[in-house]
Amino acid sequence: MRYIGQGLSSLETFCSLMCLPNPVSQKAYDRINAKIADISEALANASMKKAAAEEKIIDGTVNSVVVSGDGTWKTRGHTSLIGVCALIGADCGKVLDMEVMSSYCKGCDSYKGPKIFFFRSEQKHGLKYQRYIGDGDSKTFSSIAEKKPYGDSVPIEKIECVGHVQKRMGSRLQKLKALWGEKKLSDGKTIGGKGRLTDAIISKLTTFYGNVIRANFHNVNEMRQAVWAVWAHTSSTDDEPKHWFCPKGKNSWCKYNVSVHNNTVNEFSHKNTLPKAVSEVIKPVFKDLSHLKLLRRCLGGKTQNANESLNSLISKYSPKLIGSGINVTKIAAFIAACEYNDGSRNRIDLMRALNLKINKTNVLNCVNIDKVRKSTTKRQVSKTSFEARKAKKLKILKQI
């Protein structure tokens, strides 16, 4: 029942519908849950120890690695008292450390958030988490940096998650649109409306902004130029083309520069460009989000996608719509960490540790689950699948 994200109530319902005798009592159920929580935590610690050794080998440094951190609450909203924090190695992509904490428990107050991971990293794994991929929450990073877990000589460096930086463009443009409201721009029209700063245009600009950061993750100057290319390209007109920053040549994504290469500029016509008044209003947003200090933290194109995937897996074993105690959350978090690191075979390890009988069906089922997961992942990352998702998204945007 824990592996399908259900508890005693669902177990009782299942038994009654299947004409089976009553299941265990609440007291016995809680005792079994506590035992599963302890064993799953031990298995998760062993898995994370192997992942840390793997991260150290792949990274190639003596003992300093890059990690991404994030957390999730037991239930939706801001009323949950139980949360899970986890760190994932940037190179191996596996969980290195995890903690289930309660805001109600005073024993957890001394190490809120991921700070505990940094203070015990050397003792637990012989590693220093010197570079931290965060989501822009300055409080989390500031609290870690101020504590100086590795001393004054080893400062913690913040790396921005490209996905969260991308979202800033959308949120800033939406706030700007709301701020101007029905006010008139220099051309006597409002900022919104057909052919102006609509939600579809904001979505496109946000996507373009994220794409150019990822495409130029190796060079901050090229990244900055590409960001300004987005602004200039979308505000270009036939009378005033602004394609200075766009890539040149026949393979450029900029059709204007392609026409320049082919000597067909006279036949080219700009379409769906933003009016000059609108482009001037949104220019300060591009100026802020192309600052070198911000873009330097985007070098490498790192994201927290792995953390989001782990959080989704935890929610699978402990659904956010169902209330439960800390032991159930621990079980969900630790079996999710094992499965994320090693695949479904961790179920066999857990059954063996619980002295349960294991047969061929159990093993084949786990093998089949991993096989399907790998084939699905391979299909999703293929170029054909990517182009199909991209086309679908563009179709939706055109309908907005």
Side-chain angles (χ1 to χ4, degrees):
M1 299 307 290
R2 286 269 53 87
Y3 264 106
I4 62 174
Q6 300 298 322
L8 180 58
S9 177
S10 297
L11 178 58
E12 291 174 340
T13 302
F14 175 79
C15 289
S16 66
L17 293 172
M18 298 299 293
C19 299
L20 296 173
N22 290 332
V24 294
S25 65
Q26 183 68 54
K27 185 176 181 180
Y29 174 81
D30 292 338
R31 186 170 64 250
I32 295 170
N33 261 346
K35 183 177 181 180
I36 297 175
D38 291 339
I39 294 177
S40 60
E41 182 175 6
L43 292 173
N45 284 330
S47 176
M48 291 186 288
K49 188 173 182 179
K50 290 191 296 183
E54 184 179 338
E55 176 71 20
K56 188 174 182 179
I57 294 173
I58 297 175
D59 187 87
T61 57
V62 179
N63 61 355
S64 297
V65 297
V66 184
V67 295
S68 62
D70 196 17
T72 180
W73 290 106
K74 170 64 190 72
T75 56
R76 299 188 187 280
H78 303 281
T79 59
S80 179
L81 299 177
I82 301 173
V84 182
C85 288
L87 281 189
I88 293 179
D91 291 315
C92 72
K94 295 183 178 181
V95 184
L96 304 183
D97 208 346
M98 174 178 281
E99 189 74 20
V100 180
M101 291 174 285
S102 170
S103 59
Y104 180 78
C105 174
K106 298 304 177 183
C108 298
D109 286 347
S110 58
Y111 287 114
K112 290 183 178 179
K115 286 187 287 184
I116 185 175
F117 302 142
F118 290 79
F119 283 96
R120 70 188 185 192
S121 66
E122 291 182 282
Q123 180 183 0
K124 190 171 184 178
H125 297 313
L127 295 174
K128 293 178 181 177
Y129 306 143
Q130 194 168 352
R131 302 178 73 194
Y132 173 71
I133 305 170
D135 59 1
D137 186 354
S138 59
K139 293 182 180 179
T140 300
F141 175 71
S142 298
S143 62
I144 296 172
E146 289 173 4
K147 294 293 182 179
K148 299 179 180 179
Y150 308 123
D152 295 333
S153 60
V154 186
I156 308 298
E157 181 184 351
K158 171 71 177 298
I159 301 176
E160 294 288 351
C161 168
V162 175
H164 285 87
V165 172
Q166 175 180 333
K167 290 179 182 178
R168 295 185 193 181
M169 176 63 74
S171 60
R172 287 285 299 273
L173 291 177
Q174 288 289 1
K175 289 180 181 178
L176 187 66
K177 182 180 178 181
L179 179 65
W180 278 89
E182 297 301 320
K183 297 179 183 177
K184 303 295 183 181
L185 304 188
S186 59
D187 60 357
K189 299 180 180 179
T190 60
I191 192 171
K194 186 177 181 180
R196 301 174 76 82
L197 193 64
T198 61
D199 290 344
I201 294 297
I202 291 175
S203 181
K204 286 183 179 180
L205 291 175
T206 303
T207 301
F208 294 158
Y209 176 69
N211 288 345
V212 297
I213 290 178
R214 294 182 181 90
N216 299 276
F217 67 88
H218 57 284
N219 189 299
V220 68
N221 292 319
E222 292 179 6
M223 192 187 300
R224 188 167 189 253
Q225 178 176 311
V227 172
W228 278 111
V230 172
W231 175 83
H233 181 88
T234 54
S235 60
S236 296
T237 62
D238 293 336
D239 295 331
E240 190 178 3
K242 303 175 182 177
H243 301 280
W244 326 291
F245 302 124
C246 297
K248 307 294 191 296
K250 64 179 181 179
N251 296 322
S252 173
W253 53 260
C254 175
K255 294 182 180 180
Y256 178 85
N257 281 344
V258 172
S259 67
V260 171
H261 180 271
N262 296 331
N263 295 319
T264 57
V265 177
N266 294 332
E267 302 174 10
F268 183 85
S269 176
H270 288 83
K271 299 177 180 179
N272 302 321
T273 58
L274 287 174
K276 185 176 181 179
V278 176
S279 65
E280 289 302 320
V281 170
I282 68 173
K283 189 175 182 178
V285 176
F286 277 83
K287 183 178 180 180
D288 290 344
L289 297 183
S290 64
H291 198 285
L292 289 177
K293 185 178 180 181
L294 171 64
L295 297 183
R296 284 194 187 99
R297 295 201 296 266
C298 295
L299 287 173
K302 305 293 185 180
T303 71
Q304 287 181 298
N305 291 347
N307 294 86
E308 300 294 344
S309 297
L310 176 64
N311 292 342
S312 177
L313 193 56
I314 294 172
S315 298
K316 172 185 173 183
Y317 295 129
S318 180
K320 290 181 176 290
L321 297 177
I322 301 176
S324 59
I326 193 167
N327 273 337
V328 170
T329 307
K330 284 183 176 181
I331 294 171
F334 293 132
I335 64 176
C338 290
E339 183 166 334
Y340 196 87
N341 286 357
D342 306 314
S344 297
R345 66 185 182 187
N346 76 90
R347 300 183 183 184
I348 303 300
D349 297 332
L350 181 58
M351 292 175 66
R352 186 177 289 112
L354 289 167
N355 295 319
L356 299 178
K357 291 183 178 180
I358 302 171
N359 59 27
K360 184 178 180 180
T361 302
N362 300 132
V363 178
L364 290 178
N365 183 53
C366 292
V367 171
N368 185 60
I369 291 174
D370 287 337
K371 184 179 179 180
V372 172
R373 175 177 53 83
K374 290 178 180 179
S375 63
T376 302
T377 302
K378 186 177 181 179
R379 184 174 65 253
Q380 289 177 340
V381 300
S382 67
K383 185 177 181 180
T384 304
S385 179
F386 174 77
E387 293 298 335
R389 293 197 301 271
K390 183 178 178 181
K392 183 179 179 180
K393 185 174 182 180
L394 290 175
K395 183 178 179 181
I396 294 173
L397 287 175
K398 290 178 180 179
Q399 296 174 349
I400 296 178

